[in-house]
Each structure stands twice: as C-alpha cells, then as structure tokens.
Amino acid sequence: KSKKVDLPKGISQDFFEVLNETLEEYDETIKGLIDR
C-alpha cells in the first residue's frame, strides 16, 4: 500500500528517499537484531 503523507516542516523528500534506500539495504540486518 502507498499512502500520500504530508512531510513534516523542514524535512525534505530527499531525506526520506535516502532513509528508505538505507532501510531496504539493511533490512535483513535490522530484522536480525530483533532476535537478539
């Protein structure tokens, strides 16, 4: 699902794009930390 959300003031769309790329790249690592 994709929802349109308003960005908080002072935070650019670029920030969220980089954040999303980082989360996708490290998804397995992050999920692995849950089990620790």
Side-chain angles (χ1 to χ4, degrees):
K1 290 183 179 181
S2 180
K3 293 183 180 181
K4 176 77 174 155
V5 295
D6 293 327
L7 297 178
K9 265 191 173 176
I11 298 181
S12 70
Q13 178 65 36
D14 292 340
F15 171 78
F16 286 101
E17 288 174 9
V18 171
L19 179 63
N20 190 46
E21 289 171 10
T22 302
L23 289 174
E24 286 177 6
E25 185 175 343
Y26 292 102
D27 186 56
E28 291 301 316
T29 303
I30 293 168
K31 286 179 181 175
L33 293 173
I34 294 171
D35 297 329
R36 290 183 162 214

